[in-house]
Amino acid sequence: MSEQRMQQQIEAACAHIAQHAESVRHSRYRQRYHFMPQCGWLNDPNGLIYFKGKYHFFYQYNPYSGFWDRMFWGHAVSEDLLHWDYLPVALAPSEEYDDHPKGGCFSGSAIVIGDKLWVMYTGTCNNGNGFEQSQCVAWSEDGVQFHKYEGNPVLTAPEGVRPDCFRDPKVWEHDGLYYMVCGASRDGKAQALVYRSADFLHWEFFNVLAESRGEWGYMWECPDFFPLGDKYVLMFSPMGGGERTSVYLVGDFDYETGKFQWSTSGENDWGFDYYAPQSFLAPDGRRIMVAWANSWDWMPTWKDWGPTYREGWNGFFDLPREVRLLPDNSLQFLPVKELRALRRDPQFKDVLELQPDQEQSVTAGDGVAFELRFTLDLEHTDAEQVELSLRCGEGRRTVCTLDLKHSMMYVDRNNSDGWSRGVSKSPLFVRDKTLLDVHVFSDQSSLEIFTSDYTTNHSLNVFASDAQNGILLCARGGGARLLSLEGYGLERTFC
Ligand code: FRU
């Protein structure tokens, strides 16, 4: 019976998508090579996994409008992380534990057990006790059609944890046991709770993995926990953590006690549009991380979700990034190497000298969907700031300032497009350095700027017109020398 209910919901959603995808496909702000839904609203990446020869991306999805509402799990597969085939919606609200009209099937993760694909997600409901969240499981043999477990929910909020703040399970296996970390809020402080199970269906509380003293907010959304080198990494998106959208802690995990002793912390991205990242393992052992390129209305830097709702869609993912551990236990986030296959029309320049206050134009692809890299030769630069202006034209631009004098980096989108606003800020580690690397990925509606060996990155959405296709460099308060300039157009993978 209830399986039938989910099937009906899925069929209705798929029929709606089939009707609307074509008109959305040609709209102005569609990305060219960033993952996005066919129509409707997308937020968090869910259940990212490599299964039976394909990468599976699931995502928080409302197929019916360009706004968040009652959530489904959208689904697509790829062999190369670049070209995607959409599959039928995987999960739909259908049960009394996941049918909240403003909620539904919330975020979660996937694991392969035997030859089946299992997912764990948060069911949301209101059965008279307010907004309740519980952890639920579903399985699939073919990775396309899912069956919800009859014993759902498998876990409800423990004593003392707010029932409306207990969500986003991330599961993994270690030495024959299953583990799960999820976000929680207790006494106004955020926690990551770890649970353990022998069969994936019966779960017991193991430990508090980490908690906020207030500096990282009152609730952690979408925690992720994974081994990297000889360390463990915990990531989460803090609610109430100021301008931070997504942070990491690096330390050691003890499987005897469930204790996580962390010693390093950092930010996954300093831009406004990088939220709820989830990681997964590629078959070659790389740890890859994907995030939703937007943020929530309760964030201090939030303006809105952008104008694309008018086109019948909203939301895309930031580029998949490979996570690497550095010797000081901080993390590097590199755009995955697969992206190189999209490069077209290469342009190289060994040296480019910037004279003080003279703007210099450079070329990369059509200036809209492109990749640009260069290295700043700090020994031959006496400028106080170097400005990189992107998507310039019609009197508008987005300005990335590398402030060498004050060791800061800014991305200013107050004059980007007549829509966006705000200036993202981060430290820039240039002291005692001779070189500073900069790597930019621009797409129709987004900019991702990687610096400092991919440790300090800013991702921001901009909704600029196609005529805004200029790239300008300028040194302020002195001159600058740039080395190894590379520019490329990037081929479209979505059409
Ligand atoms: C994070 C989040 C999750 C929740 C989902 C709902 O962006 O708020 O905590 O599961 O989105 O769509």
Side-chain angles (χ1 to χ4, degrees):
M1 250 327 264
S2 74
E3 188 125 349
Q4 220 178 3
R5 223 166 22 237
M6 170 146 107
Q7 210 39 49
Q8 284 163 358
Q9 295 285 331
I10 290 178
E11 279 164 23
C14 292
H16 181 90
I17 297 164
Q19 246 178 32
H20 291 83
E22 189 53 27
S23 65
V24 169
R25 204 154 74 91
H26 303 291
S27 43
R28 166 173 170 193
Y29 293 118
R30 294 289 280 174
Q31 295 279 55
R32 298 196 200 165
Y33 62 92
H34 280 76
F35 183 82
M36 62 194 159
Q38 288 159 288
C39 63
W41 163 279
L42 160 151
N43 58 289
D44 312 347
N46 292 160
L48 308 182
I49 200 155
Y50 189 78
F51 176 62
K52 295 190 177 165
K54 288 192 174 155
Y55 293 101
H56 290 247
F57 276 9
F58 300 88
Y59 44 96
Q60 283 290 281
Y61 190 33
N62 170 26
Y64 294 107
S65 86
F67 290 98
W68 187 88
D69 200 61
R70 186 163 159 264
M71 302 312 288
F72 295 64
W73 274 34
H75 189 190
V77 289
S78 168
E79 280 170 21
D80 59 4
L81 288 172
L82 302 171
H83 301 87
W84 291 90
D85 291 322
Y86 294 104
L87 292 178
V89 165
L91 293 179
S94 63
E95 312 300 316
E96 64 174 24
Y97 55 79
D98 68 8
D99 67 354
H100 196 291
K102 287 271 174 193
C105 300
F106 270 18
S107 285
S109 53
I111 188 169
V112 178
I113 303 178
D115 60 356
K116 294 197 178 68
L117 184 60
W118 287 77
V119 296
M120 188 185 277
Y121 68 99
T122 299
T124 64
C125 62
N126 186 345
N127 295 323
N129 306 313
F131 195 69
E132 277 183 89
Q133 302 176 347
S134 62
Q135 314 323 326
C136 308
V137 301
W139 56 274
S140 170
E141 241 152 286
D142 58 3
V144 179
Q145 197 179 4
F146 282 81
H147 311 276
K148 290 178 185 168
Y149 169 55
E150 290 131 34
N152 278 341
V154 294
L155 206 56
T156 53
E159 198 57 42
V161 164
R162 276 173 58 172
D164 61 342
C165 280
F166 179 60
R167 60 178 177 270
D168 308 338
K170 176 78 196 296
V171 294
W172 76 99
E173 187 265 347
H174 179 82
D175 272 352
L177 286 180
Y178 301 104
Y179 293 82
M180 181 272 275
V181 60
C182 73
S185 179
R186 191 193 295 271
D187 301 328
K189 303 277 161 58
Q191 295 188 320
L193 305 178
V194 204
Y195 289 81
R196 240 187 341 194
S197 169
D199 61 2
F200 203 70
L201 300 173
H202 301 87
W203 293 86
E204 59 170 26
F205 175 69
F206 192 20
N207 212 337
V208 176
L209 202 56
E211 58 193 323
S212 166
R213 295 169 307 173
E215 80 283 40
W216 278 312
Y218 63 89
M219 169 67 192
W220 289 346
E221 296 196 300
C222 301
D224 193 355
F225 191 62
F226 54 86
L228 193 66
D230 58 352
K231 295 286 165 194
Y232 265 83
V233 177
L234 175 66
M235 292 180 172
F236 50 84
S237 285
M239 299 180 82
E243 292 195 12
R244 298 180 182 95
T245 59
S246 159
V247 302
Y248 67 79
L249 308 176
V250 178
D252 298 297
F253 185 59
D254 183 346
Y255 276 100
E256 294 294 312
T257 61
K259 233 183 140 29
F260 175 54
Q261 209 105 47
W262 63 271
S263 52
T264 309
S265 67
E267 312 243 343
N268 290 334
D269 193 288
W270 298 81
F272 297 144
D273 297 301
Y274 199 86
Y275 199 81
Q278 186 176 92
S279 78
F280 62 99
L281 271 184
D284 61 6
R286 282 175 300 161
R287 175 64 59 174
I288 297 176
M289 179 172 100
V290 175
W292 171 41
N294 220 309
S295 63
W296 288 116
D297 41 1
W298 45 261
M299 299 213 56
T301 53
W302 184 81
K303 194 228 156 205
D304 56 40
W305 291 290
T308 67
Y309 70 91
R310 295 177 184 155
E311 301 178 343
W313 70 288
N314 199 301
F316 44 86
F317 289 163
D318 290 286
L319 291 175
R321 299 175 186 182
E322 183 185 344
V323 188
R324 287 197 198 155
L325 184 68
L326 287 167
D328 67 356
N329 287 340
S330 65
L331 300 183
Q332 261 183 319
F333 304 98
L334 301 100
V336 291
K337 60 174 193 253
E338 282 82 347
L339 288 159
R340 289 181 209 152
L342 302 182
R343 289 176 176 171
R344 295 290 174 271
D345 311 323
Q347 308 261 343
F348 300 108
K349 208 170 177 60
D350 287 339
V351 184
L352 179 69
E353 300 282 356
L354 299 180
Q355 305 306 324
D357 297 316
Q358 280 181 31
E359 285 199 321
Q360 178 109 23
S361 159
V362 295
T363 322
D366 65 355
V368 174
F370 67 87
E371 190 183 342
L372 176 73
R373 298 179 74 164
F374 60 85
T375 305
L376 198 52
D377 179 349
L378 297 171
E379 284 181 320
H380 295 94
T381 293
D382 58 6
E384 294 179 352
Q385 283 106 27
V386 173
E387 286 172 6
L388 169 62
S389 296
L390 302 160
R391 299 300 300 274
C392 307
E394 300 182 322
R396 301 195 192 279
R397 57 174 64 187
T398 301
V399 185
C400 168
T401 304
L402 305 165
D403 188 338
L404 306 172
K405 187 172 175 200
H406 302 104
S407 299
M408 288 292 291
M409 171 170 171
Y410 303 95
V411 184
D412 184 341
R413 57 173 192 182
N414 282 323
N415 185 30
S416 290
D417 50 14
W419 184 278
S420 311
R421 60 169 184 250
V423 183
S424 62
K425 310 174 194 61
S426 71
L428 187 70
F429 301 100
V430 280
R431 248 179 94 176
D432 304 328
K433 295 227 171 111
T434 53
L435 300 170
L436 175 69
D437 52 291
V438 178
H439 195 168
V440 179
F441 281 84
S442 171
D443 200 348
Q444 187 71 49
S445 300
S446 65
L447 293 171
E448 287 164 83
I449 307 173
F450 300 84
T451 64
S452 297
D453 222 5
Y454 302 94
T455 61
T456 311
N457 314 318
H458 290 231
S459 300
L460 300 96
N461 300 339
V462 296
F463 301 96
S465 72
D466 282 356
Q468 291 181 241
N469 60 0
I471 308 171
L472 296 168
L473 281 156
C474 190
R476 304 278 180 202
R481 179 179 291 176
L482 273 55
L483 305 174
S484 319
L485 243 92
E486 293 172 49
Y488 305 93
L490 291 172
E491 195 186 294
R492 191 186 278 279
T493 62
F494 284 84
C495 50

